[in-house]
Amino acid sequence: MLDWVLIEEGRIEEALTHLRAASALASRTGAPVAEANALLVLAMAQVALASLDEAARGCERAVELARKADDRTIERLALQHLARHWADAWKWREALDTATEALAFDDRSGTVDVRRTLLLMVRGEALLGLGNKAERIEQLDLAAREAESSGYEDGAVRALGVLLEVSADAGLQARYDSAVMRLTTRT
């Protein structure tokens, strides 16, 4: 909890110190899920310092630890973070493969699932990075529609914003404007 607060306050170096200690302690005590969790938060701090490769390595280790502990929830979360890191580093094939693996992990289509929406967005970005514009649009539109239907306005704004980068469709613009309005009036 303290680490989240430190990251939110921009005290990244201090958070890194605590998170590295937490990860090492969890490793020494044989607590793979606690270590995986610490590594995921550590990766978020590393991203804030633009250490994408280091963050990805931590997420890969978190995936291994979650598998070792047979914790499917943490495994899926670690895969989600790893896919995002690969996309942020423009490693499109790795991002696509990881997002696809996480999406197939436990199909939750038809449910309110923020992680699924985020994974669909990463998958769409990766597809574009690999030159597949049509499938990218399909994935991002699916992410936007799921976000809209579940009330996840931030996700809808993000997905629709990326869609508008490749399409000047008036319908998309109207959906984007509506999502922004809902998001800004909610706070």
Side-chain angles (χ1 to χ4, degrees):
M1 181 71 156
L2 170 64
D3 305 313
W4 283 103
V5 172
L6 292 171
I7 291 169
E8 288 296 317
E9 290 183 356
R11 297 164 55 186
I12 306 301
E13 292 296 337
E14 195 176 344
L16 287 172
T17 300
H18 290 279
L19 288 162
R20 286 183 179 121
S23 176
L25 178 62
S27 178
R28 282 194 308 275
T29 60
V33 173
E35 184 180 358
N37 275 315
L39 288 169
L40 291 174
V41 180
L42 177 61
M44 292 175 61
Q46 291 164 330
V47 166
L49 296 175
S51 301
L52 296 177
D53 287 339
E54 195 174 357
R57 283 192 298 276
C59 288
E60 287 174 324
R61 177 72 179 134
V63 170
E64 291 171 14
L65 290 165
R67 287 179 179 158
K68 175 182 174 185
D70 196 30
D71 189 317
R72 304 211 19 103
T73 301
I74 297 299
E75 182 181 356
R76 184 173 186 235
L77 178 63
L79 287 168
Q80 173 200 330
H81 281 277
L82 182 57
R84 178 75 263 158
H85 295 311
W86 288 137
D88 289 344
W90 297 3
K91 295 184 178 181
W92 304 121
R93 175 52 54 196
E94 292 90 338
L96 178 62
D97 292 346
T98 305
T100 301
E101 179 182 359
L103 283 164
F105 194 78
D106 60 343
D107 184 14
R108 299 179 63 131
S109 55
T111 63
V112 176
D113 189 349
V114 171
R115 290 184 187 147
R116 177 178 160 76
T117 301
L118 295 171
L119 284 163
L120 289 169
M121 289 173 23
V122 169
R123 188 166 155 60
E125 292 170 36
L127 287 163
L128 181 66
L130 292 169
N132 190 332
K133 182 178 174 182
E135 194 174 349
R136 176 208 189 198
I137 290 172
E138 178 183 312
Q139 288 294 298
L140 289 169
D141 188 57
L142 178 59
R145 288 186 189 287
E146 287 188 12
E148 289 168 314
S149 70
S150 69
Y152 176 39
E153 302 305 341
D154 185 50
V157 167
R158 289 171 57 190
L160 290 164
V162 176
L163 274 170
L164 285 170
E165 292 175 14
V166 293
S167 173
D169 181 87
L172 284 176
Q173 186 65 55
R175 287 170 59 202
Y176 175 82
D177 293 342
S178 292
V180 168
M181 180 63 71
R182 288 188 304 271
L183 184 63
T184 56
T185 57
R186 187 181 65 189
T187 54

